[in-house]
Amino acid sequence: MSEMSVTLDIRLKRANKVYHEGEVLAGVILLVCKEAMQHHGISLSMEGLVNLQLSSKSVGVFEAFYNSVKPIQLISSNIEVAKAGKIPGGKTEIPFEFPLNTKGNKVLYETYHGVFVNIQYTLRCDMKRSLLAKDLSRNCEFIVHCQPQKAKVVPTPVKFTITPDTLQNTRERSLLPKFLVRGHLDATNCVISQPLTGEVVVENSDVPIKSIELQLVRVETCGCAEGYARDATEIQNIQIAEGDVCHGLPIPIYMVFPRLFTCPTLETTNFKVEFEVNVVLVLHDDHLITENFPLKLCRI
Amino acid sequence: MAAVQWRSRGRNYEAELQRCRPEAALVEFGDYHPLKSIMVTDTKTRRGARKGSTSSSSSSSSSAPLDPLSSMLDGTDPLSMFAAASATETPAMSHSKEKEEEVVGPDFESWSLKRGEILARFTTTEKLSIVSRRDKLFCYSKLKDPGSSAVSEKVRTRLEELDDLEEGSQRELLNLSQQDYANRIEELNQSLKEAWASDQKVKALKIVIQCSKLLSDTSVIQFYPSKFVLITDILDTFGRLVYDRIWTMCSDPRPLPDSFTVDDVNDTAKETCLNWFFKIASIRELLPRLYVEAAILKCNCFLNKCGIQETLPRLTAMIRGIGDPLVAAYTRAYLCRVGMEVAPHLKDSLNRNFFDLLGSFRQISSESVQNQLVLQRVEVPEYLTLYSPAISWILQCIAYRAPEDYINCAEIWVEFTCRHFSKREVNTVLADIIKHMTPDRAFEDAYPQLQSVIRKILTYFHDFSVLFSMERFLPFLDMFQKDSVRVEVCRSIMEVFIKHQVEPTRDPVILNAMLHICKTMHDSVNALTVEDEKRSLALLIIGFIRMVCFGRDFEQQLSFCVEARATFCNLESVMVQLIHTVNQLAMETSRVMRGSHSRKTAAFVRACAAYSFITIPSLSSIFSRLSLYLLSGQVALANQCLSQADAFLKAAVSLLPEVPRSISVEGKLRASESFLLDFINNFLATLLVVPDHPEHGVLYLVRGLLNMIQDYTWEDNSDAKVRVYVSALPLLAAMSQETYLYSIPKVDSNETLYGGDPKFLLEINKLSETLIGQVLDHLKGLGRDEATRRQGALAFSLFGVLLAHGDLRNNKLSQLAVNLWNLSHKHGYCETRVSVSSQPISQKIRKPDMFSLTFTK
């Protein structure tokens, strides 16, 4: 029961927990216990890792180096917060400051939670205790945003027209019902903190439209000189039209880039993270028509 | 089974925490799920521990660094505790608070009133169902691909359990009665509150999403408006809960002021709020995403000064993606509702919603809608009524405190209604306009629009019985209180009436309304009204009078004329028309009776004569009076009303001395002489058939007329008097015939009365001679005055009369004729063309009697 009477917590000053390289992570370590207690030292460590995994479909091909895909360390440091001693009963706050600096020429990539690529930063607090009491530890993820891009982003609208004739990968073009869908994306070089926008107009369609969706896709590439695995998976699928929409009326394309699951387009020697969006038309007879647009995400 | 496991785990929190702690980190690497941290931390024991701790009020979460939403889950916030303690009181509290913050005034018809109306009106006896498909709700909850670690397997299992728990409470429910359905929705409302109170914020969100999804289901379509009401209740609850929660987060150290700004909101609250928006932005389906974001629209004010202003147009545009027009219309109504609650000044989005609604109205005739109606056996008219609450709400929002906007909108709307609907709907629109424009005399600033409304109605409604059977049409006209506008409106109605009313009418609805309109026009006439205006108003009123016909009901027609005379007494030409109408009525009676009046019809035609007789003196134009006396006299004669005819003609004769020497014709003073001569000639022609009055002497009227002419003050140097004498000669000649040139059926003229009595003939001859004597005297006088041209002309006209009407076998008369001929040619002024054509005639005079007269020239 005495163990249950102590809790350990890390509180960062910033509510959104977002930091940039060169800034200082400030916060407190919060200890709450009913009675005074002994400890053998409290330490705080910071770590930034890129975890790479190969998809099961790629494993067969790259079995040879499956195990060789090791996490890439971006940052790692450790500080002592308190020497061994006694903590009084009640609430104790121990403030800390931890500079977010890299060593050498390493770059802090932006936090990203993907399927085959994960970039994550954590703070970990450890409290060593006597043999009788278990050591306590606490993890806390913080978020790194990369430095704003210096070059200006000039949005270039991309127009599109979808008809049976514009489709590739279809053997049954003649069997397709007639339709004409026009539209545009306001830009494919997107600022990650701003939504993807545009318009789509169903000019006409022989078969009623069932749905129009925006599918946000991540394309993750893991590999090295010997070979690589490239996988595209869906991040989210947002419906922008449901049912037999009014012909000739522009329907807005609007999608917020989800936090954590997207990051500025990233290309390194070991891995790549890229994004694409598919405009997907579902016709009432369940024909699925997809128009693909590679995106370039950046942060300003 | 899965649910049981979940519960048991929840009870043993500490052990679980210990077990999971080292694993949690691994989970976050490979298999992040936004709900994960929530499940791990959500326990009551933990809250108990917190409660016991010192007064740290920070609410940021320890184990969920990524998702500030989860910070709501540790239960330290007073709102949740309060809500948990008294879940039933929560709505009331929130409501009163909402009232304080209300931006719209009490003059805005509240949703709560509307809500009840809709529920009462849209009911069904069909069986309803609540079907929740087990789709994923959020996009990125799918993210669970590489299951390499045992830990992530565990997490995944828990996720599914959670889904089971939530969806277990909303599985398919079929065959619900309407009441069952409402109860079920209310249960969901309760579970939403309970979930919230027990800090299961994401479960609460899931309930709201599932409910919103029910709105895309249009089976049992008659019930849809009520379903909308029930489900938006839940959305309202949710919106309040979220707002209040974030508001409370900012209340440390002191509550937010009512008019707080973004700067007053702390970072934690902002982050929580932002997180809600991110969460909602990832809702997969369009309709729930729209509804839920609309439900928390007000929360934008925690984040961004112009957040609401930017969000409303975006959501408005997004509704275009909803294919089903009914679903879209109600989504718009909801968006307008929350928009009004939060920012009633943002009219643009309200308008946009309305125009988009109109723009996509054609969807109603789309195949998918039509198929649906066939399938559900719902007729189009019934289907259309389902739109009315949504459209009326949207319009109410647009019209709020904006009479000008309102009327501009109504002005357009009325045309749409006129074009596509019946008088019933137009009447409704009129009633609504009256309702909106009457307070504070708002109509005073909207005359052009109101006039345009009338114009549009008149463009589409030409059938005046339909038009005037709209109850609100005349009350609508009453809004035109400025005289000039009022008259203009009446005038425009009259113009359409005259143009399009082809058949005469006796429809009392039309007659009453038109009398009202015409009276309005008539009453606008005053001393300052210009002649032109009077004339044009009178023409319109006459146009109306001419279209009134009671068929065979002559008495009714006469009494209409009596009423009209009283109503339009200031417009002389209308009086004239009324007299004509009554005369026509008498003639029509005669026609129907084939000239033989019964006692009743005889009395009736006398009544007509009486009408004219008392109406004529009220006219100011003397020539109108004269000609109407003459005309009415002729009509009276034709109807065998001898004494009436006599009275008319006598009145005309006695009026003659009053004829001024000059009269105003079209604004210019002109000599009246030629008009008077025309009238007298006409009058003389009538006198042929007027029998002498038994109590007065022979040729009483002719003598009377000639006396008046003799005494009349003619122009100086005028031959008019003598010309009348010349004109009277043919009458006298005609009177001495055995059989008159013309007669009136059933009226005995003098020919019959006297039967060629020599005394009568003698009287005629004496009179004729007197006249000729007068003319000859005048001719002499002209010779003295050196007025030879006039002398010639007058001599020639007397020559013509002698030639045509005189018995030239009489030597004296033929001699006179010859002399007159010579006289007329003496000075060479006689028109050659006329005289040449009469030359052979004068030769004829001479030949049979062998007169050796020399015709010089």
Side-chain angles (χ1 to χ4, degrees), chain B residues 585-821:
Chain B
L585 186 62
M587 292 314 291
E588 183 65 16
T589 314
S590 167
R591 193 184 63 79
V592 168
M593 299 306 288
R594 296 175 203 276
S596 309
H597 284 296
S598 65
R599 258 175 72 181
K600 196 177 166 197
T601 58
F604 177 72
V605 292
R606 282 198 293 273
C608 290
Y611 178 96
S612 301
F613 196 73
I614 60 172
T615 308
I616 293 171
S618 69
L619 304 176
S620 65
S621 158
I622 197 148
F623 279 100
S624 295
R625 269 189 276 168
L626 286 173
S627 56
L628 285 170
Y629 275 134
L630 175 58
L631 184 73
S632 304
Q634 289 167 343
V635 170
L637 265 186
N639 284 288
Q640 301 112 46
C641 305
L642 296 183
S643 60
Q644 281 78 6
D646 216 46
F648 279 119
L649 298 177
K650 224 165 95 183
V653 171
S654 12
L655 193 58
L656 283 175
E658 291 174 30
V659 176
R661 298 240 298 260
S662 55
I663 53 165
S664 162
V665 178
E666 286 163 3
K668 286 177 200 157
L669 271 185
R670 284 179 58 182
S672 64
E673 195 177 280
S674 58
F675 297 98
L676 187 55
L677 288 183
D678 281 349
F679 170 75
I680 292 169
N681 284 337
N682 200 354
F683 194 87
L684 289 171
T686 305
L687 286 179
L688 175 66
V689 290
V690 182
D692 277 345
H693 194 283
E695 290 168 15
H696 303 292
V698 178
L699 300 178
Y700 162 72
L701 276 173
V702 180
R703 285 169 194 280
L705 175 70
L706 292 174
N707 286 337
M708 286 299 177
I709 286 162
Q710 191 176 21
D711 298 342
Y712 184 75
T713 321
W714 297 93
E715 294 274 342
D716 300 336
N717 296 320
S718 160
D719 306 324
K721 179 163 72 178
V722 196
R723 285 191 177 281
V724 174
Y725 294 161
V726 173
S727 305
L729 287 172
L731 168 69
L732 293 170
M735 280 182 153
S736 55
Q737 305 304 316
E738 267 177 46
T739 310
Y740 283 2
L741 181 60
Y742 44 86
S743 64
I744 295 175
K746 298 197 164 39
V747 173
D748 291 333
S749 304
N750 286 340
E751 66 181 317
T752 323
L753 286 184
Y754 298 112
D757 184 338
K759 271 194 209 158
F760 174 63
L761 295 179
L762 193 67
E763 276 296 319
I764 290 176
N765 291 343
K766 270 164 71 184
L767 197 53
S768 305
E769 282 157 18
T770 312
L771 292 177
I772 292 171
Q774 292 278 321
V775 177
L776 292 178
D777 282 353
H778 187 71
L779 282 175
K780 261 187 219 160
L782 287 178
R784 280 199 300 275
D785 298 344
E786 304 291 317
T788 49
R789 179 187 287 268
R790 279 162 57 201
Q791 189 189 46
L794 190 59
F796 191 74
S797 71
L798 183 58
F799 168 74
V801 168
L802 290 185
L803 205 61
H805 302 285
D807 182 358
L808 291 185
R809 287 173 305 186
N810 177 309
N811 284 342
K812 276 190 176 169
L813 208 54
S814 64
Q815 184 57 52
L816 178 60
V818 172
N819 291 342
L820 284 170
W821 170 266

Side-chain angles (χ1 to χ4, degrees), chain B residues 192-227:
Chain B
L192 165 65
K193 287 175 191 163
E194 282 159 21
W196 190 271
S198 59
D199 283 331
Q200 293 173 278
K201 303 291 194 285
V202 170
K203 181 177 172 188
L205 180 57
K206 283 193 168 185
I207 292 175
V208 173
I209 294 172
Q210 289 288 8
C211 289
S212 316
K213 278 169 73 169
L214 296 178
L215 286 173
S216 63
D217 173 13
T218 52
S219 55
V220 195
I221 205 160
Q222 310 90 310
F223 185 61
Y224 192 86
S226 291
K227 180 156 90 174

Side-chain angles (χ1 to χ4, degrees), chain B residues 106-381:
Chain B
D107 48 339
F108 186 73
E109 188 188 350
S110 75
W111 172 249
S112 55
L113 282 176
K114 202 86 178 175
R115 179 184 177 281
E117 282 169 26
I118 297 173
L119 287 178
R121 182 174 160 203
F122 296 93
T123 58
T124 183
T125 50
E126 306 244 342
K127 291 297 177 194
L128 299 155
S129 56
I130 298 180
V131 180
S132 64
R133 284 160 294 154
R134 299 198 48 186
D135 293 346
K136 57 190 168 116
L137 302 178
F138 300 103
C139 297
Y140 38 75
S141 55
K142 187 190 172 187
L143 183 93
K144 38 187 171 187
D145 190 358
S148 54
S149 79
V151 181
S152 50
E153 287 289 348
K154 276 182 197 163
V155 171
R156 191 180 313 136
T157 319
R158 278 203 299 275
L159 273 173
E160 282 159 8
E161 286 163 7
L162 180 73
D163 284 348
D164 276 352
L165 180 81
E166 275 149 9
E167 267 140 55
S169 60
Q170 330 192 349
R171 60 187 163 270
E172 284 195 15
L173 291 167
L174 300 166
N175 286 326
L176 298 172
S177 75
Q178 184 183 321
Q179 189 55 48
D180 292 341
Y181 193 95
N183 293 344
R184 184 68 203 131
I185 298 285
E186 180 49 34
E187 276 172 37
L188 284 173
N189 205 359
Q190 285 308 319
S191 23
L192 165 65
K193 287 175 191 163
E194 282 159 21
W196 190 271
S198 59
D199 283 331
Q200 293 173 278
K201 303 291 194 285
V202 170
K203 181 177 172 188
L205 180 57
K206 283 193 168 185
I207 292 175
V208 173
I209 294 172
Q210 289 288 8
C211 289
S212 316
K213 278 169 73 169
L214 296 178
L215 286 173
S216 63
D217 173 13
T218 52
S219 55
V220 195
I221 205 160
Q222 310 90 310
F223 185 61
Y224 192 86
S226 291
K227 180 156 90 174
F228 168 80
V229 168
L230 295 173
I231 287 171
T232 50
D233 282 352
I234 296 186
L235 286 159
D236 290 347
T237 307
F238 178 74
R240 264 198 309 272
L241 289 171
V242 174
Y243 182 86
D244 289 354
R245 161 71 192 154
I246 297 171
W247 194 82
T248 320
M249 288 175 79
C250 307
S251 59
D252 186 39
R254 57 184 171 278
L256 276 180
D258 276 347
S259 55
F260 68 88
T261 65
V262 180
D263 300 332
D264 301 323
V265 180
N266 66 46
D267 286 351
T268 316
K270 271 184 192 157
E271 194 57 24
T272 307
C273 191
L274 199 58
N275 224 62
W276 276 112
F277 283 111
F278 269 105
K279 192 89 190 159
I280 289 164
S282 72
I283 296 174
R284 212 195 85 76
E285 285 181 52
L286 175 62
L287 196 66
R289 184 156 21 96
L290 274 168
Y291 267 105
V292 179
E293 184 167 0
I296 65 159
L297 182 70
K298 197 178 179 184
C299 293
N300 274 289
C301 59
F302 293 116
L303 288 179
N304 197 330
K305 203 169 66 186
C306 40
I308 292 173
Q309 203 175 331
E310 286 163 7
T311 306
L312 274 174
R314 176 170 58 79
L315 294 180
T316 302
M318 280 166 69
I319 297 175
R320 292 175 166 194
I322 300 172
D324 187 303
L326 187 67
V327 175
Y330 275 91
T331 314
R332 293 190 188 286
Y334 184 67
L335 187 59
C336 289
R337 179 150 80 76
V338 293
M340 276 306 277
E341 279 163 18
V342 174
H345 57 283
L346 297 178
K347 292 270 179 193
D348 287 352
S349 292
L350 297 173
N351 292 341
R352 192 66 253 163
N353 266 300
F354 184 62
F355 290 127
D356 273 2
L357 178 83
L358 293 183
S360 56
F361 212 68
R362 61 174 185 270
Q363 285 289 92
I364 285 174
S365 49
S366 73
E367 222 175 283
S368 14
V369 171
Q370 296 300 323
N371 291 343
Q372 204 182 355
L373 296 185
V374 170
L375 208 66
Q376 297 198 34
R377 291 193 294 275
V378 173
E379 298 288 328
V380 172

Side-chain angles (χ1 to χ4, degrees), chain A residues 77-151:
Chain A
S77 58
N78 194 56
I79 50 170
E80 188 176 58
V81 178
K83 289 205 162 71
K86 202 172 185 178
I87 292 171
K91 194 178 83 171
T92 307
E93 286 186 353
I94 310 169
F96 65 85
E97 286 197 344
F98 215 144
L100 188 58
N101 288 329
T102 50
K103 280 172 192 157
N105 55 0
K106 286 208 167 151
V107 183
L108 293 185
Y109 304 131
E110 185 155 325
T111 298
Y112 167 70
H113 294 197
V115 178
F116 304 105
V117 178
N118 264 287
I119 305 169
Q120 201 163 13
Y121 297 84
T122 38
L123 271 183
R124 180 185 167 107
C125 177
D126 286 296
M127 178 198 265
K128 289 206 165 57
R129 294 206 279 176
S130 63
L131 286 169
L132 288 172
K134 236 180 171 177
D135 291 350
L136 284 177
S137 87
R138 185 55 133 180
N139 276 328
C140 165
E141 180 171 3
F142 65 94
I143 299 175
V144 170
H145 277 182
C146 61
Q147 299 295 351
Q149 169 185 310
K150 288 192 182 85

